[in-house]
Amino acid sequence: MNITPPAPLAPWTRRNAAPLALSAADASFDDLAPLSRLIGSARVVALGEGSHRIREYGLLRHRILRFLIQECGFTAYAAELGTTIGRAVDAWTRGGDGDLDTLLAPPSGGYPAQSAEGRDTLRWLRAHNAEAELPVRFAGLDIPAAGGSLAPALEPVARSLAGIDPRAALYVHTALELSEPLAGASGLASAQARLTLDAAVQDRLSTVLGQLLNRITATREAYIDSAGPAVYADMLSDVWAAWRTDQMQRAMAGLFAGKPDAVDLSARDRYLADSLLELLDRSAPDTRIVLAAHNAHIQRTPNPDGVSLPRIPMGHALAQQLGTDYVSLAMTSTGGRTVKNVPDPAHPAGMRQCPTDAPAPAPESVEALFAGNPAAPAMLDTRALRAHARRHGLPEPTLIRMDDGFIPVPAVDAYDAVICIPHTTLSADLTG
């Protein structure tokens, strides 16, 4: 592979990146000692990935999760999965009945539903909790069905409201009826459906959701008196999820229609961030959370206007709120197989995920820093790299790989560390 790295940072990376074992369930965690020093006492550690459905990302994330739980005292695991289905998964990991594959069947959407390795991690968590003195909590943070449907969020709200507030329940049923033509397996499919849905219907849906949100928040005390604080908190979270989903779908439809707005595209990431912060607020003061999500969600930096990415990613909102209590670790690779998302309006998800070869690292990319590294994963402390580069006035990487391409990201500011795997293969759910 012929790579022109951003010299001389690649040699510095070779000397300073810490080698990691990919998957060693019964081995020691000695190689992860640098990670423990890097995260310190942070309350939230985000583990990213450049593509979903990559086997090696799942294996290494599983090992790091075990280390953080067993050796560092982390007590919760949160992921890029709908908050509503997340509550059911949490019950399952703590001994509840049912089959995990059935629970996470489409259109649940998001990680770990779409990854065999991610589901294996949840099975490990269930086994761990069966023996643990303090079970580890699981939480979904995302909008429902990765933005593909309002139903997973609104249907539980309708059940909760039935005996509390019939007028609010009517709002929910109206929203479910209006949003039914938009239902899909992802936000991409729903946004495409919006391009053909009458604007008046879309406006009425947004209005009804706004009325519901106002009613739920304006009469908070009455709801808490009737249903209790826990039920109210879940209900409020689900109504916010439906409202943010509607706004995200509108923004994506605008993007497809040639009217992108990076601020409006932030609706999903805002919900992800708010869900994580709410989880912290509702948890014990010593709660520490491992967060699994895409690299594009966990970055500490905002995105510039003019790109088809959210202006404010979840990670930027968390970094602004939590400071050094938030640590983000991107995960990427320099070769192997990856996923290409091919738009397909006929597909339930609005796209097909096709196996493809990972592109060679672009010269300006963070991946190019790892050129010539041994054939093993390695972790780079980007804070140390940043200090070295700026002390000597050296050019820094400006790109990171996302699926089969590269996106503009100031990696040394966006992430506290980058883990690079030399060669990736596909999850068992996606062959080729």
Side-chain angles (χ1 to χ4, degrees), residues 49-208:
E49 58 185 8
S51 302
H52 294 315
R53 309 184 80 177
I54 300 297
R55 174 173 168 75
E56 288 72 19
Y57 296 160
L59 293 176
L60 188 52
R61 180 172 42 239
H62 177 93
R63 186 162 181 264
I64 293 174
L65 174 71
R66 289 184 57 234
F67 169 71
L68 293 176
I69 290 172
Q70 295 175 324
E71 303 296 322
C72 301
F74 279 72
T75 55
Y77 178 39
E80 192 181 328
L81 185 72
T83 51
T84 309
I85 189 65
R87 293 194 286 269
V89 172
D90 179 48
W92 184 87
T93 62
R94 291 192 281 177
D97 295 333
D99 174 73
L100 182 64
D101 290 330
T102 301
L103 187 62
L104 292 177
S108 59
Y111 176 87
Q114 61 188 199
S115 163
E117 293 74 30
R119 295 193 299 276
D120 285 345
T121 294
L122 292 177
R123 293 187 177 96
W124 172 85
L125 188 61
R126 178 181 168 102
H128 169 84
N129 283 343
E131 304 292 335
E133 181 178 345
L134 179 64
V136 173
R137 180 179 180 182
F138 177 83
L141 304 178
D142 209 352
I143 57 179
S149 174
L150 276 63
L154 288 181
E155 287 171 351
V157 175
R159 292 192 292 269
S160 296
L161 287 173
I164 300 175
D165 186 347
R167 177 61 182 272
L170 180 61
Y171 287 147
V172 176
H173 290 299
T174 301
L176 284 168
E177 180 180 348
L178 292 171
S179 65
E180 197 279 331
L182 302 173
S186 75
L188 182 63
S190 298
Q192 290 169 341
R194 279 185 178 267
L195 296 176
T196 59
L197 186 65
D198 186 83
V201 175
Q202 298 189 55
D203 290 345
R204 187 178 176 216
L205 172 60
S206 297
T207 298
V208 169

Side-chain angles (χ1 to χ4, degrees), residues 14 18-23 56 333-335 370-379 420-424:
R14 286 195 295 272
L20 302 178
L22 179 62
S23 178
E56 288 72 19
S333 72
T334 50
F370 293 86
N373 262 20
M379 183 181 71
C420 187
I421 296 171
H423 186 88
T424 53

Side-chain angles (χ1 to χ4, degrees), residues 249-266:
Q249 290 177 359
R250 279 182 170 272
M252 290 185 68
L255 178 66
F256 297 151
K259 301 174 182 178
D261 189 319
V263 173
D264 288 349
L265 287 168
S266 299

Side-chain angles (χ1 to χ4, degrees), residues 4 13 51 78 82 139 147 168 193 218 226 248 270 348 372 375 390 401:
T4 304
T13 298
S51 302
S226 298
M248 188 207 75
R270 174 56 57 184
R390 294 177 186 177
R401 184 159 65 79

